[in-house]
Amino acid sequence: MKIYTGRGDEGMTDLRDMSRVSKTSPRIESYGTVDELNALIGTIVPTGYDDIDEQLSGVQNHLHIVQADLANPDPDDGDPVVREAHVAEVEDWIDSYDDELDPLESFILPGGSETGSCLHHARTVCRRAERRVVALAGESEVNEHTVEYLNRLSDALFTFGRAVNERDGVPEENPTY
């Protein structure tokens, strides 16, 4: 596979069905932001915690599915798409930390250890990706599980950040009003 083709030199790119769209289209913005999130997660691993590293590896694979789903305006039966099982898996990951973390009683400031802070940053990029997909869904057909997945993933990244900070002995800070 050749890295450069020149096909995008005029500001257009191919979708999975080989239709051409502007690189500024909401569809490209959506899966481009998911790609940014995936790259950011790649900078976080290793976290120092095998369980979280394993889950983040799963997230990175899921995000490739999200991108493929978003890049395909008309998927066939065998095409990669986000499924309810992906959402459920992320919910299971979140639930697995319930015993480890104190219940939230108020907002917390994003931050903490270096890894915890990076996970909070990834959460904000995930929220932006979700907003981009919601905007796309306002004008084009989008798999409903894609928005659900990104919504749940941002919760998981928040939870992973809290777990890392707890394990690193870094207390959570609450905002003052």
Side-chain angles (χ1 to χ4, degrees):
M1 182 165 117
K2 195 170 185 175
I3 296 299
Y4 64 91
T5 63
R7 288 184 49 79
D9 292 351
E10 295 177 5
M12 301 291 284
T13 192
D14 297 319
L15 294 177
R16 193 151 189 263
D17 66 0
M18 297 311 291
S19 61
R20 304 273 295 156
V21 297
S22 169
K23 289 184 176 186
T24 62
S25 82
R27 187 170 296 280
I28 303 305
E29 281 292 328
S30 294
Y31 72 73
T33 306
V34 172
D35 187 32
E36 178 185 354
L37 172 61
N38 206 347
L40 179 57
I41 290 171
T43 68
I44 298 170
V45 176
T47 63
Y49 300 102
D50 291 342
D51 57 337
I52 293 175
D53 289 349
E54 183 178 324
Q55 290 161 344
L56 290 175
S57 177
V59 165
Q60 286 194 290
N61 282 293
H62 290 172
L63 290 175
H64 269 279
I65 295 168
V66 171
Q67 286 179 262
D69 197 344
L70 291 169
N72 193 354
D74 190 25
D76 291 325
D77 287 340
D79 289 336
V81 294
V82 180
R83 302 193 187 287
E84 191 174 335
H86 295 110
V87 177
E89 184 173 20
V90 174
E91 289 173 347
D92 288 345
W93 293 339
I94 296 167
D95 293 343
S96 72
Y97 291 97
D98 276 348
D99 293 336
E100 185 175 337
L101 297 170
D102 292 332
L104 279 177
E105 296 180 10
S106 68
F107 289 106
I108 63 168
L109 295 173
S113 68
E114 183 177 348
T115 300
S117 296
C118 289
L119 286 160
H120 282 292
H121 181 197
R123 173 190 53 80
T124 67
V125 175
C126 187
R127 286 285 189 206
R128 180 163 32 93
E130 179 187 7
R131 291 189 303 272
R132 296 287 192 268
V133 173
V134 168
L136 173 62
E139 65 180 47
S140 299
E141 183 93 15
V142 172
N143 175 356
E144 67 184 14
H145 299 303
T146 302
V147 174
E148 292 172 5
Y149 180 83
L150 291 170
N151 184 278
R152 218 63 86 249
L153 178 59
S154 64
D155 294 336
L157 293 167
F158 176 79
T159 303
F160 296 165
R162 291 188 70 214
V164 165
N165 284 336
E166 174 69 26
R167 291 174 185 183
D168 287 348
V170 178
E172 295 176 334
E173 293 185 33
N174 302 106
T176 57
Y177 299 99

